Amino acid sequence: MDKKIAITALSSISALGSVTQEIWNNYLNKNHFLKEHDFNSQKALVASLSDESKDKIEALRVSDIKYKSLDNSVLYAMLTARDAVKQAGWETGDDFGINIGSSRGATALFEKYHEEYLKEGKSSTLASPTTTLGNISSWLAHDLQSEGPELSHSITCSTALHALVNGVAWLKSGMSTKFLVGGSEASLTPFTIAQMKALKIYAENNGDTYPCKALDFNKKRNTMALGEGASVICMETDTSKKVLAYIEGVGYATEVLKHNISISDDAECFQKSMKMALKNTNLEEVDVVVMHAPGTIKGDSTEVKAIEKVFGNVMPALTTNKWKIGHTFGASGLLSLELGVLMMQHQKFIEVPYIEHTVKPKQIKKVLVNAVGFGGNAVSVLLSL
């Protein structure tokens, strides 16, 4: 890209925790965070926030009377955004843009209000304003008292990386010099779990050490499991500050669908998005790809085929975090980006413990991050030190 875009802050909350050192320590161990929970009449393996993280969210909820009625998807984003802005040294009243998206949005509140409507035949006053898709970004703008543009979108599981691409476009255009982007998902609700199970892609609790087999190309059934969380980054054109990583390239693509959740056998959308992100890069310089790899048979295999077609005989190391923290839908892309940044900072490759890694990086200076959602909406982001 002709204008250097710097990541000057990064914050997240997930099953890994909400403090950077804690998150990295949890990446260093081989444990996963999937546990079985009851969702009304059904059980499911999910990666939920820790009790400590939930306490932080509840403290935020009761800190302002206006926040008591907000969905967790808003509060997750608000907590991480406050932390990121503080890290970056941005102040109240600063002119910075906000683009935070979500795949499912205010799922818990929507289910609650809909059930209330079915029982009573009427809706609560706050049902509409607390469940709109623009709910997250608008509340963040209020909480941070920012002066720049605020917008939102929902592009299924590639939502957070689409927010990043949009922020890059604003920064490159000169219409803004600072942008806060990310994704948030609080989707561990009965109806959401039921939807995923209806697709026949959900992991079973059959006693496996690792119930979500993301990147295991020998698995015989789909093993996707859900997680919750949020992740945001601060992006700037001012590179004189402390920089965590640079965004060296972005790519995006869609493909023609055969049905609502289809993807081609060699993920044409990923091939296009990766090539766009890598167009000015020597492929041998890419050390790691953090894959989308949701743990489904087709999702994992089509993505690796796309990577093989793009990289040929100079394959980078491959990894993913969904075996550990589940699939966090719209937040997943930036949680994968966080893993990429941490690996570069610590110069340590995080392996998937149940597969044999035929390629391991000698150094980690460039990382490609992938995400894709229903509808074949792929995004690839190239990070560098």
Side-chain angles (χ1 to χ4, degrees):
M1 297 188 294
D2 53 359
K3 184 178 289 187
K4 220 167 187 182
I5 308 297
I7 298 174
T8 55
L10 190 159
S11 181
S12 75
I13 187 168
S14 71
L16 294 164
S18 60
V19 179
T20 301
Q21 189 57 54
E22 176 190 14
I23 292 166
W24 179 244
N25 288 342
N26 279 323
Y27 269 125
L28 292 176
N29 67 53
K30 295 183 179 181
N31 302 324
H32 66 80
F33 290 88
L34 297 171
K35 296 180 180 178
E36 191 171 72
H37 287 254
D38 289 322
F39 293 90
N40 289 348
S41 60
Q42 58 190 337
K43 294 182 178 181
L45 288 162
V46 296
S48 58
L49 300 187
S50 67
D51 290 340
E52 183 181 358
S53 291
K54 289 177 182 177
D55 287 343
K56 290 181 180 180
I57 294 300
E58 286 310 304
L60 175 58
R61 188 190 302 278
V62 300
S63 68
D64 188 315
I65 192 170
K66 296 186 294 295
Y67 296 169
K68 289 184 178 181
S69 58
L70 297 181
D71 187 75
N72 277 343
S73 58
V74 178
L75 297 176
Y76 293 176
M78 192 179 291
L79 189 74
T80 56
R82 284 183 176 184
D83 182 46
V85 166
K86 183 178 179 181
Q87 288 179 39
W90 299 358
E91 298 179 351
T92 299
D94 275 4
D95 187 359
F96 60 88
I98 297 175
N99 187 356
I100 310 291
S102 179
S103 173
R104 302 281 157 166
T107 310
L109 284 186
F110 190 90
E111 291 179 30
K112 170 190 169 184
Y113 287 134
H114 186 249
E115 182 179 9
E116 176 185 87
Y117 172 74
L118 292 177
K119 287 181 178 179
E120 302 178 12
K122 60 182 179 180
S123 180
S124 297
T125 303
L126 293 178
S128 178
T130 58
T131 59
T132 57
L133 283 177
N135 198 37
I136 300 178
S137 289
S138 57
W139 274 109
L140 261 61
H142 160 80
D143 187 65
L144 300 173
Q145 293 295 290
S146 60
E147 296 293 334
E150 59 93 0
L151 53 153
S152 186
H153 63 255
S154 177
I155 311 181
T156 61
C157 305
S158 54
T159 295
L161 290 194
H162 270 290
L164 183 152
V165 171
N166 192 39
V168 167
W170 276 80
L171 295 175
K172 288 182 67 177
S173 73
M175 294 176 65
S176 181
T177 59
K178 297 186 288 189
F179 235 89
L180 177 76
V181 303
S184 183
E185 213 69 61
S187 55
L188 303 186
T189 63
F191 186 47
T192 309
I193 296 294
Q195 291 175 67
M196 294 303 104
K197 289 201 169 188
L199 292 172
K200 311 299 183 186
I201 59 177
Y202 215 89
E204 292 182 354
N205 189 7
N206 52 15
D208 283 354
T209 304
Y210 297 103
C212 176
K213 295 292 182 64
L215 277 192
D216 180 352
F217 302 112
N218 295 316
K219 58 180 174 283
K220 303 301 181 184
R221 64 176 308 276
N222 293 317
T223 64
M224 193 191 85
L226 292 188
E228 62 179 345
S231 185
V232 303
I233 59 172
C234 293
M235 303 191 302
E236 305 185 47
T237 52
D238 180 4
T239 59
S240 64
K241 300 171 62 175
K242 180 183 178 181
V243 175
L244 302 180
Y246 293 100
I247 297 170
E248 193 164 305
V250 296
Y252 46 88
T254 57
E255 61 178 61
V256 177
L257 300 178
K258 292 182 179 179
H259 56 79
N260 293 33
I261 60 171
S262 69
I263 191 168
S264 55
D265 289 339
D266 52 5
E268 293 177 10
C269 55
F270 264 140
Q271 291 184 53
K272 292 176 181 177
S273 67
M274 287 188 286
K275 287 177 181 177
M276 183 185 295
L278 296 166
K279 63 182 178 181
N280 297 317
T281 303
N282 185 337
L283 297 181
E284 294 181 354
E285 295 177 2
V286 180
D287 303 300
V288 179
V289 176
V290 181
M291 294 174 59
H292 181 74
T296 61
I297 294 173
K298 189 163 187 181
D300 293 6
S301 63
T302 56
E303 185 178 358
V304 80
K305 286 177 183 176
I307 294 170
E308 288 170 347
K309 287 209 168 188
V310 170
F311 286 92
N313 61 358
V314 289
M315 282 287 288
L318 307 178
T319 192
T320 182
N321 58 12
K322 291 187 178 63
W323 65 272
K324 183 180 277 281
I325 61 171
H327 192 346
T328 53
F329 284 151
S332 63
L334 267 189
L335 287 168
S336 293
L337 181 142
E338 177 183 53
L339 172 57
V341 170
L342 289 172
M343 285 191 294
M344 288 195 296
Q345 288 180 332
H346 294 273
Q347 286 299 296
K348 182 173 178 59
F349 178 58
I350 298 300
E351 300 182 13
V352 178
Y354 47 82
I355 67 172
E356 182 180 350
H357 289 269
T358 55
V359 179
K360 296 182 182 180
K362 295 179 181 178
Q363 61 178 14
I364 308 177
K365 292 187 176 181
K366 290 191 179 182
V367 174
L368 186 67
V369 182
N370 281 340
V372 69
F374 291 156
N377 298 296
V379 180
S380 299
V381 177
L382 181 63
L383 305 173
S384 64
L385 286 176

